[in-house]
Amino acid sequence: MKAWLNFSPEIVNKAVISNLMKNFDVSFNIMNANITPKGGKMLIEISGEEAQEGINYLENQGVHLTPVKRVVKKDNDKCVDCGACLSLCPVEAITIDEEWKVELDDQKCIGCGFCTSSCPTKAIKLAD
Amino acid sequence: MKTIEEINQKIKDGNAVVVTAAEMTRIVRETGAKEAAKEVDVVTTGTFGAMCSSGAFLNFGHSDPPIKMAHTYINGVEAYSGLAAVDAYLGATQPHRDPKIGIKYGGAHLLEDLVRGKEVELVAEAYGTDCYPLQNIHTHFKLEDLNQAIMINPRNSYQNYAAATNSSEETLYTYLGTLLPKMGNVTYSSAGELSPLLNDPYFKTMGLGTRIFLCGAQGYILGEGTQHNTEVERENGVPVGSAGTLMLKGDLKKMDPEYLRGATMPEYGPTLYVGAGVPIPILNEEIAQHTGISDQDIGCRIMDYGVPRRSRPAILETNYHQLRSGSVEIDGTKIQTSPMSSYRKALQVAEELKNWIEKGEFFLTRPVELIPSHGQTVKPLQIKRPSILVKDLKTKAIITATAQDNLSDVARLMVDNNINHLPVIDKEGKLMGIVTSWDIAQAVAKEVQELTHIMTKKVIVAMEDEPVEVIARRIDKYEISGVPIVDRDNLVKGMITAEDLSRLVCSRDDKRGESL
Ligand code: SF4
Ligand code: SF4
């Protein structure tokens, strides 16, 4: 599953992530992170045998978990291929092909919403 | 050398050679401008970008009883109707009158709805006259019901335009899209080598009467657009920043929503995506050479919009080939770019125009007057601030002495109130003179007793209705530290000091810094 982990300031310095990797059979992928000594957010994808146990462990350690279910859909009739969204996507899920058509890869999308709020024609919508 | 008439004959005969500006770039590169000029008859250009300076004149026809519309709202968007009774100009950037909708649905969206043939609501208010008695109208109409719907865009197709980035700590929402903090992205807007005015950089072929592609219909160039600027820096013959512009005209009724879209720049406002294409007749080698320009040769500066002033600092000089690659490098960091204008649609415009000409549906025109190619600059707007008058100032409660006052009382008065000047008044309150603490000290030393002997009688004053700037200059000129304020009858109203003035000037300058 994909989820945002919210770290409060108290646990930023604890080794929760490395303990998770050491003690549970999970594969763990960090897709986006913004952590400072004052706390922060990390977007992860977690899978494997003990994924659920791993998630329980994180929650017990005080890491708040918000699963990402949202993906975005682009309405190609509305989209004018202006490309305004291209440089806003933090994970390069939006690309432009050889025919200068703007494409959105919803597999890569993390549902951050940057593109939806910045599309001039409101062509991209968050879908549950 | 060819003429427009010869080219039109070829179009009629179905054997004109028409290529897009992108194809022409390749042809000139491969065969040279001389050969290209012989071979090619017309180069079609195209652009599809957000053009705020767009709109349409609408004529509704007369109702019975008739109305002279003073305020006109279409789908809640006001169209300017300070024209004849039933004419209005609907501007693309006009937000919805309901602040809850605001910029989400504006003039641009309404223009698109009209072109899509949707029925829209018309509300008009009037003050009523003998010949136009009706004061209110509430009805519905479609584009086809109007007598005329003429698009007139005062400023379209910027020749070139700077790219944007943002060095500040906050996300900025601009007419060039969303700019992420700490130079998180770069946005640019020109169609580069496809763009009309970059293919005719000295306006050798375009002018009043040039027939063009405008939003899917045939339209015309009316002349140079507003803010047309010819005195600009050039590289490889083309401007590196905003320069020439076009004023365009077209028939809204014939337009195609494929090439006209309402949009909202987030937290900025409504704007209209306009597809425009200008055909360039290849009359000679020089014109061929110009249309051969490539993205690589067109320079563009990336400006820092984190600096909220009219002149923003340039961060990097680059070109459209680099920008279109998807990223640029600033200080060793790769930064993603966003085009803002659709290159795909720009190509589509150029292809469609080419198609029309090849099919013999579109003929070239000779402009009645060319776009000016020199002597035009853009003047900035000077903010002329209204003067603050002396009487508008808040000065301290006035302390005065009368001619009969005892010198030691006067001295104490000045010390107690921490002031250096004291106006001396007569019984009616009229100004007689002024004493300073220095005068008092001298008087004590010389054992003079009469205030009237030591005061300065020829007093420099500030009249109540003089602007403060004038007083500041006066204080400066006479090298004094303050002047009494008097009215027309010479009655003393207060004191104004150099200190009061400098405080005022500082606070005004701060405000000016924010509002530009
Ligand atoms: S910003 Fe919107 S209209 Fe522009 S390319 Fe992206 S999805 Fe399409
Ligand atoms: S919501 Fe948009 S910007 Fe965010 S990851 Fe998905 S595609 Fe990229």
Side-chain angles (χ1 to χ4, degrees):
Chain A
M1 73 182 288
K2 265 189 223 171
W4 281 102
L5 305 186
N6 295 301
F7 289 80
S8 57
E10 307 85 66
I11 52 165
V12 162
N13 296 322
K14 288 204 221 159
V16 272
I17 300 296
S18 48
N19 286 342
L20 171 79
M21 306 290 273
K22 248 188 274 166
N23 302 333
F24 297 90
D25 179 14
V26 293
S27 81
F28 188 86
N29 188 9
I30 300 174
M31 305 171 82
N32 195 325
N34 181 10
I35 295 186
T36 68
K38 293 199 210 90
K41 281 170 105 182
M42 184 188 276
L43 182 75
I44 54 137
E45 178 149 34
I46 186 166
S47 55
E49 290 271 301
E50 295 181 330
Q52 195 50 50
E53 288 83 344
I55 290 166
N56 294 346
Y57 165 77
L58 286 175
E59 298 219 301
N60 287 338
Q61 292 297 308
V63 180
H64 186 70
L65 217 107
T66 342
V68 176
K69 286 196 286 307
R70 303 179 302 175
V71 278
V72 294
K73 286 268 169 289
K74 183 157 85 72
D75 179 341
N76 288 331
D77 287 338
K78 278 195 181 167
C79 173
V80 293
D81 300 298
C82 71
C85 52
L86 276 175
S87 67
L88 298 174
C89 180
V91 294
E92 301 192 18
I94 308 176
T95 51
I96 195 156
D97 70 11
E98 303 95 79
E99 289 181 339
W100 308 101
K101 197 167 165 44
V102 173
E103 306 274 14
L104 199 155
D105 181 348
D106 52 15
Q107 286 307 303
K108 275 197 189 168
C109 171
I110 56 169
C112 73
F114 282 154
C115 61
T116 53
S117 58
S118 290
C119 170
T121 64
K122 294 266 162 285
I124 320 181
K125 290 236 152 50
L126 279 174
D128 288 313
Chain B
M1 291 289 269
K2 268 173 269 179
T3 65
I4 289 187
E5 289 69 25
E6 283 163 8
I7 295 174
N8 276 340
Q9 188 57 48
K10 283 190 175 178
I11 295 173
K12 208 169 169 187
D13 299 341
N15 54 24
V17 178
V18 189
V19 300
T20 66
E23 291 164 341
M24 187 64 166
T25 302
R26 221 173 34 236
I27 296 170
V28 171
R29 194 188 303 134
E30 282 163 13
T31 70
K34 199 168 175 188
E35 277 306 303
K38 273 190 222 150
E39 203 181 302
V40 177
D41 298 311
V42 186
V43 167
T44 60
T45 60
T47 172
F48 185 89
M51 303 193 196
C52 285
S53 202
S54 301
F57 283 100
L58 311 176
N59 178 282
F60 304 101
H62 288 290
S63 55
D64 185 25
I67 184 169
K68 180 180 184 299
M69 298 174 178
H71 293 286
T72 307
Y73 303 92
I74 310 168
N75 273 2
V77 179
E78 179 158 24
Y80 177 72
S81 40
L83 302 157
V86 290
D87 283 330
Y89 183 79
L90 172 63
T93 66
Q94 182 73 36
H96 196 280
R97 74 200 287 202
D98 178 354
K100 284 203 284 296
I101 302 172
I103 65 171
K104 282 186 235 146
Y105 185 93
H109 302 89
L110 174 57
L111 285 164
E112 180 184 335
D113 279 349
L114 285 169
V115 170
R116 287 191 185 279
K118 291 191 187 162
E119 189 169 80
V120 295
E121 179 199 48
L122 171 68
V123 172
E125 295 156 6
Y127 50 79
T129 71
D130 287 347
C131 44
Y132 292 110
L134 198 63
Q135 290 186 322
N136 284 293
I137 271 190
H138 183 188
T139 181
H140 290 82
F141 73 91
K142 287 183 183 170
L143 183 59
E144 62 188 39
D145 302 327
L146 298 177
N147 289 316
Q148 282 81 22
I150 303 168
M151 175 179 274
I152 303 272
N153 301 343
R155 180 168 71 254
N156 276 182
S157 307
Y158 254 117
Q159 195 160 20
N160 196 348
Y161 210 86
T165 190
N166 165 24
S167 67
S168 79
E169 298 290 317
E170 278 151 53
T171 301
L172 296 178
Y173 300 93
T174 72
Y175 52 81
L176 281 171
T178 304
L179 299 175
L180 300 174
K182 298 186 196 161
M183 299 202 202
N185 66 341
V186 165
T187 66
Y188 63 99
S189 68
S190 175
E193 64 185 27
L194 270 183
S195 178
L197 292 183
L198 287 172
N199 280 282
D200 185 7
Y202 295 96
F203 320 115
K204 301 267 181 197
T205 68
M206 298 177 196
L208 171 64
T210 299
R211 188 178 290 134
I212 59 164
F213 174 109
L214 185 59
C215 303
Q218 295 193 8
Y220 293 90
I221 293 177
L222 293 183
E224 75 273 26
T226 52
Q227 289 184 26
H228 181 69
N229 188 359
T230 56
E231 307 308 296
V232 291
E233 198 188 326
R234 287 171 188 263
E235 264 168 35
N236 304 319
V238 297
V240 290
S242 56
T245 67
L246 295 176
M247 189 177 291
L248 306 180
K249 171 192 181 226
D251 186 349
L252 202 66
K253 289 188 174 205
K254 299 197 175 116
M255 290 182 183
D256 179 348
E258 197 52 37
Y259 300 105
L260 169 147
R261 292 291 179 87
T264 300
M265 283 300 160
E267 313 216 6
Y268 177 76
T271 185
L272 190 70
Y273 273 88
V274 170
V278 180
I280 298 176
I282 304 302
L283 304 176
N284 55 45
E285 187 182 332
E286 187 194 5
I287 293 172
Q289 183 69 54
H290 287 153
T291 53
I293 191 103
S294 73
D295 277 347
Q296 205 126 22
D297 301 329
I298 305 169
C300 179
R301 293 207 174 109
I302 302 176
M303 301 294 193
D304 184 1
Y305 276 59
V307 179
R309 305 301 288 252
R310 193 179 60 226
S311 315
R312 301 183 169 95
I315 299 286
L316 183 76
E317 301 234 358
T318 181
N319 62 57
Y320 283 93
H321 181 72
Q322 184 63 49
L323 286 166
R324 218 174 286 292
S325 75
S327 65
V328 292
E329 210 180 284
I330 299 180
D331 297 333
T333 314
K334 186 182 142 196
I335 298 172
Q336 278 187 281
T337 58
S338 268
M340 303 312 295
S341 76
S342 174
Y343 196 73
R344 180 176 146 88
K345 289 253 180 208
L347 268 173
Q348 226 172 305
V349 168
E351 289 288 351
E352 183 72 3
L353 179 55
K354 172 180 161 180
N355 196 15
W356 287 355
I357 300 172
E358 281 176 343
K359 285 200 296 199
E361 293 168 358
F362 184 108
F363 291 90
L364 306 188
T365 58
R366 178 195 297 282
V368 177
E369 193 176 287
L370 289 174
I371 302 283
S373 58
H374 61 268
Q376 297 228 344
T377 54
V378 180
K379 291 195 287 282
L381 173 66
Q382 304 293 352
I383 303 179
K384 292 181 187 145
R385 293 173 289 167
S387 300
I388 294 185
L389 302 182
V390 171
K391 64 177 167 220
D392 301 330
L393 287 180
K394 271 204 203 76
T395 48
K396 290 183 209 101
I398 178 170
I399 299 160
T400 53
T402 54
Q404 295 75 33
D405 283 353
N406 185 303
L407 256 194
S408 52
D409 290 346
V410 173
R412 193 165 325 114
L413 197 63
M414 292 176 87
V415 173
D416 287 353
N417 289 288
N418 191 24
I419 50 176
N420 293 314
H421 311 76
L422 201 59
V424 181
I425 55 172
D426 65 12
K427 287 193 208 85
E428 290 163 34
K430 289 191 180 169
L431 183 67
M432 294 175 73
I434 192 164
V435 284
T436 65
S437 37
W438 173 247
D439 296 331
I440 304 272
Q442 293 274 307
V444 172
K446 293 182 189 156
E447 298 184 346
V448 182
Q449 289 302 322
E450 295 285 303
L451 204 48
T452 45
H453 286 171
I454 57 158
M455 70 184 186
T456 309
K457 294 194 181 96
K458 211 167 159 263
V459 188
I460 296 157
V461 296
M463 301 296 287
E464 273 190 313
D465 49 10
E466 285 182 297
V468 289
E469 285 88 351
V470 173
I471 308 306
R473 234 171 294 134
R474 190 172 299 153
I475 285 180
D476 225 33
K477 184 172 161 198
Y478 292 101
E479 297 180 325
I480 48 180
S481 54
V483 292
I485 303 166
V486 294
D487 67 6
R488 295 247 161 245
D489 297 324
N490 206 28
L491 288 172
V492 178
K493 296 288 181 175
M495 267 310 278
I496 179 167
T497 64
E499 214 181 302
D500 294 336
L501 287 169
S502 65
R503 248 200 320 270
L504 181 76
V505 170
C506 286
S507 69
R508 287 193 103 192
D509 277 358
D510 283 353
K511 268 187 217 131
R512 187 174 55 174
E514 284 160 21
S515 62
L516 260 182

